[in-house]
Amino acid sequence: MGDKLEWAGRPSHLGGIPRKMVFMAVGAFAKVVATLLNSTHVHNADTLIRMVRSRPSGIPLITVSNHMSTLDDPVMWGFKSFPTMDVKLARWVLAAEDICFKNTTLSYFFRLGKCIPITRGAGIYQESMNEALDRLMDGAWLHMFPEGSISQGNTPIRRLKWGTASLIVRSPITPVVLPIVHQGFEEVMPENFLFGKRPPFPLCNKKINIIIGEPMEFDLPKLRQIAVSVSRDISPCLGWPSTSPHQLDEAAQRCLYTTISEKIRTEMEHLRCFGRDS
């Protein structure tokens, strides 16, 4: 893997000029693909824009969505009226290290684009998750693909990985969670277009549908209490550390993360069904 270049992701790097250039270029690309080359309809866009622009100061935001193609991010933010090129408002996003950070050039580019490298299969306590926690502590916006990989079939939302739930629980300030489901990116960038490969450029004249849900909030004290109660007879098997300051053991954490993940998955599935039927 390439160097993770964490320093390139700092807003002070070269006065922030390289980051602004990347967001202008990538933002323009997203706008062209979403609004000029294809038609994009967004349900409940005002909620997302409000949460990005004017949520209470210091409150972190986590958006979660299904993962249909390699273009989901950034093109899903390219719809009309969204501040795609605003560097300060822009999301941080967890990005696969084996794809986006496999050499120094790619690492530098994606770091400028506010991407955090995540090693798939390395678990929820890998170093990169601490970096994501730092961004939440700053009150930033973090986007995640909790299914963990691309799926282009018209199928129900898959079981979510525990990374999102662990960040919600471990963040010093509980984030607001906003679920999003989109359809159509699998046609703009199909995984098996020609000879089992993706097309070299995004396809045109496709319909993209983005359904934005309502903010989700979690009563963590109550959920922790329930998790401790139902996990008494579950044996630990992964060697996780106890979480501070609540000192939940591994069994309680697994119960808690499963409960939160299922609540998010259920809401995402409702959005998927709404989008399919609309």
Side-chain angles (χ1 to χ4, degrees):
M1 300 299 167
D3 188 343
K4 294 184 180 180
L5 303 182
E6 185 175 354
W7 50 267
R10 298 170 187 161
S12 59
H13 172 58
L14 296 179
I17 294 174
R19 175 179 284 182
K20 290 178 182 178
M21 293 174 64
V22 164
F23 270 91
M24 287 180 63
V26 175
F29 169 79
K31 292 286 188 186
V32 167
V33 174
T35 63
L36 295 180
L37 300 182
N38 298 282
S39 61
T40 299
H41 175 264
V42 184
H43 172 79
N44 201 24
D46 289 346
T47 295
L48 174 61
I49 294 172
R50 184 180 74 251
M51 295 304 298
V52 169
R53 284 191 179 276
S54 55
R55 68 184 181 279
S57 176
I59 300 298
L61 170 66
I62 294 179
T63 52
V64 293
S65 75
N66 56 325
H67 203 3
M68 298 292 283
S69 79
T70 54
L71 285 183
D72 295 355
D73 183 291
V75 177
M76 64 186 294
W77 317 121
F79 62 87
K80 293 178 181 178
S81 76
F82 191 80
T84 308
M85 302 181 198
D86 191 317
V87 173
K88 291 183 178 179
L89 293 179
R91 90 291 171 266
W92 288 86
V93 63
L94 297 181
E97 184 181 30
D98 59 324
I99 296 175
C100 301
F101 292 83
K102 58 186 177 182
N103 60 51
T104 301
T105 301
L106 284 175
S107 295
Y108 185 67
F109 175 79
F110 282 103
R111 276 295 189 181
L112 293 176
K114 299 176 74 169
C115 298
I116 300 172
I118 195 78
T119 303
R120 290 184 284 194
I124 62 174
Y125 286 105
Q126 59 181 285
E127 182 182 351
S128 296
M129 295 296 280
N130 292 329
E131 185 178 346
L133 273 175
D134 289 341
R135 301 291 76 77
L136 294 177
M137 288 175 63
D138 296 337
W141 166 26
L142 177 69
H143 183 69
M144 303 182 71
F145 297 102
E147 291 178 294
S149 60
I150 291 172
S151 175
Q152 297 198 326
N154 183 22
T155 57
I157 300 297
R158 295 166 288 166
R159 185 187 73 83
L160 306 188
K161 306 295 184 182
W162 285 338
T164 302
S166 74
L167 290 177
I168 294 170
V169 171
R170 295 164 61 197
S171 176
I173 303 174
T174 304
V176 176
V177 178
L178 187 66
I180 302 172
V181 168
H182 48 74
Q183 299 154 341
F185 285 111
E186 74 281 10
E187 296 183 6
V188 177
M189 184 56 70
E191 288 287 292
N192 298 302
F193 177 67
L194 187 64
F195 304 116
K197 296 184 179 297
R198 305 183 192 106
F201 304 103
L203 303 185
C204 306
N205 300 317
K206 307 298 182 183
K207 293 183 179 180
I208 300 169
N209 194 21
I210 301 174
I211 307 98
I212 298 165
E214 295 299 327
M216 301 177 66
E217 297 183 2
F218 296 90
D219 185 348
L220 291 183
K222 181 178 180 180
L223 292 175
R224 288 190 190 99
Q225 197 172 42
I226 295 172
V228 170
S229 176
V230 301
S231 65
R232 298 188 192 281
D233 298 325
I234 300 177
S235 300
C237 61
L238 299 175
W240 288 353
S242 296
T243 57
S244 298
H246 304 281
Q247 292 300 308
L248 295 181
D249 62 19
E250 180 186 312
Q253 290 178 64
R254 288 163 59 191
C255 288
L256 181 57
Y257 298 161
T258 298
T259 299
I260 292 174
S261 297
E262 184 56 24
K263 287 179 180 291
I264 296 172
R265 192 204 68 81
T266 299
E267 186 59 32
M268 291 175 68
E269 179 61 16
H270 288 161
L271 297 179
R272 188 190 73 88
C273 293
F274 175 84
R276 180 194 62 192
D277 297 337
S278 61

